[in-house]
Amino acid sequence: MKKSIYILLFALLSVGACDDGFEELNVNPTKPTQVAAGNKLTAVMKFISSERYDNWRAGMIYQSTMMQHVATTAGYWSGDKYTWNKGYASSLLDRYYGNAVKSIEDLTVQLEEEEAPEEMKAIVKILRVFTYSRITDLYGDVPYSEAGKAVIEGIFLPKYDLQSEIYPDLLKQLEEASAALGTGTSDFGAADVIYNGDQAKWKKLANSLMLRLGLRLIKVDPTASQAWAAKAIAGGVMTSNEDIFYLQHDADNKNGIGEVFTADGNPRMSDTFINFMKDANDPRLTVLASLPENTGLEDADGNAILRTPAERLDPANQVGLPNGLDSDLLNDLTGEEDVQAYSEPNRLLITSEIAPMIFQTYAEVEFMLAEANVRWGLAGDAEAHYNNGVTAAMKHLSLYGADGTIADVDIADYLTANPYDSTNALEQINTQYWAATFLNEYETFSNWRRTGFPVLTPVNYPGNVTNGTIPRRLTYSESEQSTNPDNYAAAIAIQGPDVLTTRVWWDVQ
């Protein structure tokens, strides 16, 4: 992407920052005072991908380890041990409301004032739904109807809307957006750095997100869940990896997760995930995992012994680290003093700062279609969708580069050895969903809470705050207790205590 997004962000943050009287003295009447809508759209997409801060804390430290994709002995990786770092837990709220939400609400108003085409409004509406769905799925009841309105309407202390009221509106917004989109090119054009203005792809995304959010309702309102799933399928969902919803990063616009791995060498692959792949002879194993270059050992001259790339990528050498350990517990368990013998996310491929940030894939859609068929007889044949999902999940790893390409014959062999099992369909489908959403931990955590799959064995780290159970949500910003105390108090009075074990509305027992 050849855009200097950081310049755009600076411009956005500068708008409206003038002192009283400055505007009248310094406005050039021949130039527009509003940042162009297209520039704002590009910035919004970056804000949704976000930065190292929240990708590190909410995404990786908490969710990737709770979902046993990743493990680490580092004590500050709280999610690996079910301990509570309130600042880490609230990091998505802190970044999304200050950046993505504020910018989306501003852009929404601008498009209305400029009487922009409906297709442009629809694209922003879809991004808005995605943003709020990520927030509410992680926290539950959150500011929605009054969010991002400080400048627009002077609302500085927004109320927290019930998730039970947010979800119907999100789904309604997707339905409206899908209806407004056609097959041509949006007036956003190249400013749309995700789909390059392709309305048909945005329409598929609207329906694919509708399918995702519709299925979220399965435990709390199965009837509504089925109805929204059917509507999404009828509207037309993703049909190939060409439709994947992702943002490609570059040297000027770095991937926040990639920046995490630049800064932090502690993460290792969880033994839960490594064993899943090794047991099934999964060709994704050494696309996703590799051993560290440094063995942690020294030769007779005191030089570090390094592994070759071939040694790092040998499937037989991959070893996962158990979750819930610190360095002392690891030493007690294994006698090892470091984690250099354990696989890490593949530093030769997937942890780059210019890697794509993936939000929703065609593979996920195929797995949801398989589930919809199992549950309600919708969408054709569950086995075909399962096979399509596995195939797509393996093929989309080529987004990380040529070394992520998995041969068709390897995919076919995997499906032959691990065929669709109609007697255990929901677990099998959603375990594959878990594998396919590695590094998109927001979606992994939400789908696990929705389905209970894969079946994960909790840890019981000393001093954990969940009584040895996997958390069900993250927690609100501590600052809300002092800056917005009445609305904060009202939210926890309805939803329940602001702790890691309180369930969000759709995650009923």
Coordinates of all heavy atoms in Angstrom, one line a residue, residues 57-72 77-85 88-89 137-139 268 270 272-273 323-324 434 441-442 444-446 448-449 453-459 465-466 468-475 499-501:
R57 N -1.4 -6.6 23.8 CA -2.0 -6.9 25.1 C -3.3 -7.7 25.0 O -3.4 -8.8 25.5 CB -2.3 -5.5 25.8 CG -0.9 -4.9 26.2 CD -1.1 -3.4 26.4 NE 0.2 -2.8 26.9 CZ 1.2 -2.4 26.1 NH1 1.2 -2.7 24.8 NH2 2.3 -1.9 26.6
A58 N -4.3 -7.1 24.4 CA -5.6 -7.8 24.3 C -5.6 -9.0 23.3 O -6.1 -10.0 23.6 CB -6.7 -6.8 23.8
G59 N -4.9 -8.8 22.2 CA -4.8 -9.8 21.2 C -3.9 -11.0 21.5 O -4.4 -12.1 21.6
M60 N -2.7 -10.7 21.8 CA -1.7 -11.8 22.0 C -1.5 -12.2 23.5 O -1.7 -13.4 23.8 CB -0.3 -11.4 21.4 CG -0.4 -11.1 19.9 SD -0.9 -12.6 18.9 CE 0.4 -13.7 19.3
I61 N -1.3 -11.2 24.3 CA -1.0 -11.6 25.7 C -2.2 -12.3 26.3 O -2.0 -13.3 27.0 CB -0.6 -10.3 26.6 CG1 0.8 -9.9 26.2 CG2 -0.8 -10.6 28.0 CD1 1.3 -8.7 26.9
Y62 N -3.4 -11.8 26.1 CA -4.6 -12.4 26.6 C -5.1 -13.5 25.7 O -5.1 -14.7 26.0 CB -5.7 -11.4 27.0 CG -5.6 -11.0 28.4 CD1 -5.1 -9.7 28.8 CD2 -5.9 -11.9 29.5 CE1 -5.0 -9.3 30.1 CE2 -5.8 -11.5 30.8 CZ -5.4 -10.2 31.1 OH -5.3 -9.8 32.4
Q63 N -5.7 -13.2 24.6 CA -6.5 -14.1 23.8 C -5.7 -15.3 23.2 O -6.2 -16.4 23.2 CB -7.3 -13.4 22.8 CG -8.4 -12.4 23.5 CD -9.1 -11.6 22.4 OE1 -10.2 -12.0 22.0 NE2 -8.5 -10.5 22.1
S64 N -4.6 -15.0 22.7 CA -3.8 -16.1 22.0 C -3.4 -17.2 23.0 O -3.4 -18.3 22.6 CB -2.6 -15.5 21.3 OG -1.5 -15.2 22.2
T65 N -3.2 -16.8 24.2 CA -2.8 -17.8 25.2 C -3.9 -18.5 25.9 O -3.9 -19.7 26.1 CB -1.8 -17.2 26.3 OG1 -2.5 -16.1 26.9 CG2 -0.5 -16.7 25.6
M66 N -5.0 -17.7 26.1 CA -6.2 -18.3 26.6 C -6.8 -19.4 25.7 O -7.3 -20.4 26.1 CB -7.3 -17.2 26.9 CG -6.9 -16.2 28.0 SD -8.3 -15.1 28.5 CE -8.8 -14.4 26.9
M67 N -6.6 -19.1 24.4 CA -7.1 -20.0 23.4 C -6.0 -21.1 23.0 O -6.3 -21.9 22.1 CB -7.5 -19.3 22.1 CG -8.8 -18.4 22.4 SD -10.2 -19.4 22.8 CE -10.2 -19.4 24.6
Q68 N -4.9 -21.1 23.7 CA -3.9 -22.1 23.6 C -3.4 -22.3 22.1 O -3.1 -23.4 21.7 CB -4.4 -23.5 24.2 CG -4.7 -23.3 25.6 CD -5.2 -24.6 26.3 OE1 -5.1 -25.7 25.8 NE2 -5.8 -24.4 27.5
H69 N -3.3 -21.2 21.5 CA -2.5 -21.1 20.2 C -1.0 -20.8 20.6 O -0.1 -21.3 20.0 CB -3.0 -19.9 19.4 CG -4.1 -20.3 18.5 ND1 -5.1 -19.3 18.1 CD2 -4.6 -21.4 18.0 CE1 -6.0 -19.9 17.4 NE2 -5.7 -21.2 17.3
V70 N -0.8 -20.0 21.6 CA 0.5 -19.5 22.1 C 0.6 -19.8 23.5 O -0.4 -19.9 24.3 CB 0.6 -18.0 21.8 CG1 1.9 -17.4 22.4 CG2 0.6 -17.8 20.2
A71 N 1.9 -20.0 24.0 CA 2.2 -20.1 25.4 C 3.5 -19.4 25.7 O 4.3 -19.1 24.8 CB 2.3 -21.6 25.7
T72 N 3.7 -19.0 26.9 CA 5.0 -18.4 27.3 C 5.1 -18.5 28.8 O 4.2 -18.6 29.6 CB 5.0 -16.9 26.9 OG1 6.2 -16.3 27.4 CG2 3.8 -16.2 27.4
W77 N 2.7 -12.1 30.6 CA 1.7 -12.6 29.7 C 0.6 -13.2 30.6 O 0.5 -14.4 30.8 CB 2.4 -13.7 28.8 CG 3.1 -13.1 27.6 CD1 4.2 -12.3 27.7 CD2 2.7 -13.1 26.3 NE1 4.6 -11.9 26.4 CE2 3.7 -12.4 25.5 CE3 1.7 -13.7 25.6 CZ2 3.6 -12.2 24.1 CZ3 1.6 -13.6 24.2 CH2 2.5 -12.8 23.5
S78 N -0.3 -12.3 31.0 CA -1.3 -12.6 32.0 C -2.3 -13.7 31.5 O -2.8 -14.5 32.3 CB -2.1 -11.3 32.3 OG -1.2 -10.3 32.6
G79 N -2.7 -13.6 30.2 CA -3.7 -14.6 29.7 C -3.2 -16.0 29.8 O -4.1 -16.9 29.8
D80 N -1.9 -16.2 29.8 CA -1.4 -17.6 29.9 C -1.6 -18.2 31.2 O -1.5 -19.4 31.4 CB 0.1 -17.6 29.6 CG 0.6 -18.9 29.1 OD1 0.0 -19.6 28.4 OD2 1.8 -19.2 29.5
K81 N -2.0 -17.3 32.2 CA -2.1 -17.8 33.6 C -3.3 -17.3 34.3 O -3.5 -17.6 35.5 CB -0.8 -17.2 34.3 CG 0.5 -17.7 33.7 CD 1.6 -16.8 33.9 CE 2.9 -17.2 33.2 NZ 2.7 -17.0 31.7
Y82 N -4.2 -16.7 33.5 CA -5.5 -16.2 34.0 C -5.3 -15.2 35.2 O -6.1 -15.2 36.2 CB -6.4 -17.4 34.5 CG -6.6 -18.5 33.5 CD1 -7.0 -19.7 33.9 CD2 -6.3 -18.3 32.1 CE1 -7.1 -20.8 33.0 CE2 -6.4 -19.4 31.2 CZ -6.8 -20.6 31.7 OH -6.9 -21.7 30.8
T83 N -4.3 -14.4 35.1 CA -4.1 -13.3 36.1 C -4.7 -12.1 35.4 O -5.0 -12.0 34.3 CB -2.6 -13.2 36.4 OG1 -1.8 -13.0 35.2 CG2 -2.1 -14.4 37.2
W84 N -4.8 -11.0 36.2 CA -5.5 -9.8 35.8 C -4.6 -8.6 35.8 O -4.3 -8.1 36.8 CB -6.7 -9.6 36.7 CG -7.7 -8.6 36.2 CD1 -7.8 -8.1 35.0 CD2 -8.9 -8.2 37.0 NE1 -8.9 -7.2 34.9 CE2 -9.6 -7.3 36.1 CE3 -9.3 -8.4 38.3 CZ2 -10.7 -6.6 36.5 CZ3 -10.5 -7.7 38.7 CH2 -11.2 -6.8 37.8
N85 N -4.3 -8.2 34.6 CA -3.6 -6.9 34.4 C -4.7 -6.0 33.7 O -5.0 -6.2 32.5 CB -2.4 -7.1 33.4 CG -1.7 -5.8 33.3 OD1 -2.3 -4.7 33.0 ND2 -0.3 -5.8 33.4
Y88 N -3.9 -4.1 30.5 CA -3.8 -4.9 29.3 C -5.2 -5.3 28.9 O -5.5 -5.4 27.7 CB -3.0 -6.2 29.6 CG -1.5 -6.0 29.8 CD1 -0.9 -4.7 29.8 CD2 -0.7 -7.1 30.0 CE1 0.5 -4.6 30.0 CE2 0.7 -7.0 30.2 CZ 1.3 -5.7 30.2 OH 2.6 -5.6 30.4
A89 N -6.0 -5.7 29.8 CA -7.3 -6.2 29.5 C -8.2 -5.1 28.8 O -9.0 -5.5 28.0 CB -8.0 -6.7 30.8
D137 N -18.1 -8.0 21.5 CA -17.8 -9.4 21.7 C -16.8 -9.6 22.8 O -16.9 -10.6 23.5 CB -17.3 -10.0 20.4 CG -18.4 -10.3 19.4 OD1 -19.6 -10.3 19.8 OD2 -18.1 -10.5 18.2
L138 N -15.9 -8.7 22.9 CA -14.8 -8.9 23.9 C -15.2 -8.4 25.3 O -14.8 -8.9 26.3 CB -13.6 -8.1 23.4 CG -12.3 -8.4 24.2 CD1 -11.9 -9.9 24.1 CD2 -11.1 -7.6 23.5
Y139 N -16.1 -7.3 25.3 CA -16.4 -6.7 26.6 C -17.9 -6.8 27.1 O -18.2 -6.6 28.2 CB -16.0 -5.2 26.6 CG -14.5 -5.0 26.4 CD1 -14.0 -4.8 25.2 CD2 -13.6 -5.2 27.5 CE1 -12.6 -4.6 25.0 CE2 -12.3 -5.0 27.3 CZ -11.8 -4.7 26.1 OH -10.4 -4.5 25.9
R268 N 5.8 -18.6 22.5 CA 6.1 -20.0 21.9 C 4.7 -20.5 21.5 O 3.7 -20.1 21.9 CB 6.8 -20.9 22.9 CG 8.2 -20.5 23.3 CD 9.1 -20.6 22.2 NE 10.5 -20.2 22.5 CZ 11.0 -19.0 22.3 NH1 10.3 -18.0 21.9 NH2 12.3 -18.8 22.6
S270 N 1.8 -23.1 21.6 CA 1.2 -23.9 22.7 C 1.3 -25.4 22.3 O 1.1 -25.7 21.1 CB -0.3 -23.6 22.9 OG -0.9 -24.5 23.7
T272 N -0.9 -27.5 22.9 CA -2.2 -27.9 22.4 C -2.3 -27.7 20.9 O -2.8 -28.6 20.2 CB -3.3 -27.0 23.1 OG1 -3.2 -27.1 24.5 CG2 -4.7 -27.4 22.6
F273 N -1.8 -26.6 20.4 CA -1.9 -26.4 18.9 C -0.9 -27.2 18.2 O -1.2 -27.8 17.1 CB -1.6 -24.9 18.7 CG -2.1 -24.4 17.3 CD1 -3.0 -25.1 16.6 CD2 -1.5 -23.3 16.8 CE1 -3.4 -24.6 15.3 CE2 -1.9 -22.8 15.5 CZ -2.8 -23.5 14.8
N323 N 0.8 -24.5 28.4 CA 0.3 -23.3 28.9 C 0.3 -23.3 30.4 O 0.3 -24.3 31.1 CB -1.1 -23.0 28.4 CG -1.2 -22.6 27.0 OD1 -1.4 -23.5 26.1 ND2 -1.0 -21.3 26.7
G324 N 0.4 -22.1 31.0 CA 0.3 -21.9 32.4 C 1.5 -22.1 33.2 O 1.5 -22.4 34.4
W434 N -10.9 -22.9 14.7 CA -9.9 -22.5 15.7 C -8.5 -22.5 15.0 O -7.7 -21.6 15.2 CB -9.9 -23.5 16.9 CG -8.8 -23.4 17.9 CD1 -8.6 -22.5 18.8 CD2 -7.8 -24.4 18.0 NE1 -7.5 -22.9 19.6 CE2 -7.0 -24.0 19.1 CE3 -7.5 -25.6 17.4 CZ2 -5.9 -24.8 19.5 CZ3 -6.4 -26.4 17.8 CH2 -5.6 -26.0 18.9
E441 N -7.0 -13.6 17.0 CA -7.4 -14.2 18.2 C -8.7 -13.6 18.7 O -9.4 -14.3 19.5 CB -6.3 -14.0 19.3 CG -5.0 -14.6 18.8 CD -5.0 -16.1 18.6 OE1 -5.8 -16.8 19.2 OE2 -4.1 -16.5 17.8
Y442 N -9.1 -12.4 18.3 CA -10.5 -11.9 18.7 C -11.5 -12.9 18.2 O -12.5 -13.2 18.9 CB -10.7 -10.5 18.0 CG -9.8 -9.5 18.6 CD1 -8.6 -9.1 18.0 CD2 -10.1 -8.9 19.8 CE1 -7.8 -8.1 18.5 CE2 -9.3 -7.9 20.4 CZ -8.1 -7.5 19.7 OH -7.3 -6.6 20.2
T444 N -11.0 -16.1 17.3 CA -10.8 -17.4 17.9 C -11.6 -17.4 19.3 O -12.3 -18.4 19.6 CB -9.3 -17.7 18.2 OG1 -8.6 -17.5 17.0 CG2 -9.1 -19.1 18.7
F445 N -11.4 -16.4 20.1 CA -12.0 -16.4 21.4 C -13.5 -16.3 21.4 O -14.2 -17.0 22.1 CB -11.4 -15.2 22.2 CG -11.8 -15.0 23.6 CD1 -11.9 -16.1 24.4 CD2 -12.1 -13.8 24.1 CE1 -12.3 -16.0 25.8 CE2 -12.5 -13.6 25.4 CZ -12.6 -14.7 26.3
S446 N -14.0 -15.5 20.4 CA -15.5 -15.4 20.3 C -16.1 -16.7 19.9 O -17.1 -17.2 20.4 CB -15.8 -14.3 19.3 OG -15.6 -13.0 19.9
W448 N -14.9 -19.7 20.1 CA -14.7 -20.7 21.2 C -15.8 -20.6 22.3 O -16.4 -21.5 22.7 CB -13.3 -20.7 21.9 CG -13.2 -21.6 23.0 CD1 -12.9 -22.9 23.0 CD2 -13.4 -21.2 24.4 NE1 -12.9 -23.4 24.3 CE2 -13.2 -22.4 25.2 CE3 -13.6 -20.0 25.1 CZ2 -13.2 -22.4 26.6 CZ3 -13.7 -20.0 26.5 CH2 -13.5 -21.2 27.2
R449 N -16.1 -19.3 22.7 CA -17.1 -19.1 23.7 C -18.5 -19.5 23.1 O -19.4 -20.0 23.8 CB -17.1 -17.6 24.1 CG -16.0 -17.2 25.0 CD -16.0 -15.8 25.3 NE -15.7 -14.9 24.2 CZ -15.9 -13.6 24.1 NH1 -16.6 -13.0 25.0 NH2 -15.6 -13.0 23.0
F453 N -15.8 -25.2 21.3 CA -14.8 -26.0 20.6 C -13.7 -25.2 20.1 O -13.9 -24.0 19.7 CB -15.4 -26.8 19.5 CG -16.5 -27.7 19.9 CD1 -17.8 -27.6 19.4 CD2 -16.3 -28.8 20.8 CE1 -18.8 -28.5 19.8 CE2 -17.3 -29.6 21.2 CZ -18.5 -29.5 20.7
P454 N -12.4 -25.7 20.1 CA -12.1 -27.0 20.6 C -12.2 -27.1 22.1 O -12.2 -26.1 22.8 CB -10.6 -27.2 20.2 CG -10.1 -25.8 20.2 CD -11.2 -24.9 19.7
V455 N -12.2 -28.4 22.6 CA -12.3 -28.6 24.1 C -10.9 -28.3 24.6 O -9.9 -29.1 24.3 CB -12.7 -30.0 24.4 CG1 -12.7 -30.2 25.9 CG2 -14.1 -30.2 23.9
L456 N -10.7 -27.3 25.4 CA -9.4 -26.9 25.9 C -9.3 -27.2 27.4 O -10.3 -27.1 28.1 CB -9.2 -25.4 25.7 CG -9.2 -24.8 24.3 CD1 -9.2 -23.3 24.3 CD2 -8.1 -25.4 23.5
T457 N -8.2 -27.7 27.8 CA -7.9 -28.0 29.2 C -7.4 -26.8 29.9 O -6.3 -26.3 29.6 CB -6.9 -29.1 29.4 OG1 -7.4 -30.3 28.7 CG2 -6.7 -29.5 30.9
P458 N -8.2 -26.2 30.9 CA -7.7 -25.0 31.6 C -6.4 -25.2 32.4 O -6.1 -26.3 32.7 CB -8.9 -24.6 32.5 CG -10.1 -25.4 32.0 CD -9.5 -26.7 31.4
V459 N -5.8 -24.1 32.7 CA -4.6 -24.2 33.5 C -5.0 -23.7 34.9 O -6.1 -23.2 35.1 CB -3.5 -23.3 33.0 CG1 -3.1 -23.6 31.6 CG2 -3.8 -21.8 33.1
V465 N -7.0 -15.6 38.9 CA -8.2 -14.9 39.4 C -9.5 -15.5 38.9 O -10.6 -14.9 39.1 CB -8.2 -13.4 39.1 CG1 -7.0 -12.7 39.7 CG2 -8.2 -13.2 37.6
T466 N -9.4 -16.7 38.2 CA -10.7 -17.2 37.7 C -11.0 -18.6 38.3 O -11.9 -19.3 37.7 CB -10.5 -17.4 36.1 OG1 -9.5 -18.4 35.9 CG2 -10.1 -16.1 35.5
G468 N -9.2 -21.1 38.1 CA -8.7 -22.1 37.2 C -9.7 -22.4 36.0 O -9.6 -23.5 35.4
T469 N -10.5 -21.4 35.6 CA -11.3 -21.5 34.5 C -10.9 -20.5 33.4 O -10.3 -19.5 33.7 CB -12.8 -21.3 34.8 OG1 -13.0 -19.9 35.3 CG2 -13.3 -22.2 35.9
I470 N -11.1 -20.8 32.1 CA -10.7 -19.9 31.1 C -11.6 -18.7 31.1 O -12.8 -18.8 31.2 CB -10.9 -20.7 29.7 CG1 -9.9 -21.9 29.7 CG2 -10.5 -19.7 28.6 CD1 -10.1 -22.7 28.4
P471 N -11.0 -17.5 31.0 CA -11.8 -16.3 31.1 C -12.9 -16.3 30.0 O -12.8 -16.9 28.9 CB -10.8 -15.2 30.9 CG -9.5 -15.8 31.5 CD -9.6 -17.2 31.1
R472 N -14.0 -15.5 30.2 CA -15.1 -15.4 29.3 C -15.1 -14.0 28.7 O -15.9 -13.8 27.7 CB -16.4 -15.6 30.0 CG -16.5 -16.9 30.8 CD -16.2 -18.2 29.9 NE -17.1 -18.4 28.9 CZ -17.3 -19.6 28.3 NH1 -16.5 -20.6 28.6 NH2 -18.1 -19.8 27.3
R473 N -14.4 -13.0 29.1 CA -14.4 -11.7 28.6 C -13.2 -10.9 29.1 O -12.5 -11.4 30.0 CB -15.6 -10.8 28.9 CG -15.7 -10.5 30.4 CD -17.0 -9.8 30.9 NE -17.0 -8.4 30.5 CZ -16.6 -7.4 31.3 NH1 -16.1 -7.7 32.5 NH2 -16.7 -6.2 31.0
L474 N -12.9 -9.8 28.5 CA -11.9 -8.9 29.1 C -12.7 -7.7 29.8 O -13.9 -7.6 29.8 CB -10.9 -8.4 28.1 CG -10.0 -9.4 27.4 CD1 -9.0 -8.8 26.6 CD2 -9.4 -10.4 28.5
T475 N -11.9 -6.9 30.5 CA -12.6 -5.9 31.4 C -12.4 -4.5 31.0 O -11.5 -4.1 30.2 CB -12.0 -6.1 32.8 OG1 -10.6 -6.0 32.8 CG2 -12.4 -7.5 33.4
V499 N -15.2 -8.4 35.8 CA -14.2 -9.4 36.0 C -14.1 -10.3 34.8 O -14.9 -10.3 33.9 CB -14.4 -10.2 37.3 CG1 -14.3 -9.3 38.6 CG2 -15.7 -11.0 37.2
L500 N -13.0 -11.1 34.8 CA -12.7 -11.9 33.6 C -13.7 -13.1 33.4 O -13.8 -13.6 32.3 CB -11.3 -12.5 33.7 CG -10.2 -11.5 33.7 CD1 -8.8 -12.2 33.9 CD2 -10.1 -10.6 32.5
T501 N -14.4 -13.4 34.5 CA -15.3 -14.6 34.4 C -16.8 -14.2 34.1 O -17.6 -15.1 33.9 CB -15.3 -15.4 35.7 OG1 -15.5 -14.5 36.8 CG2 -13.9 -16.1 35.9

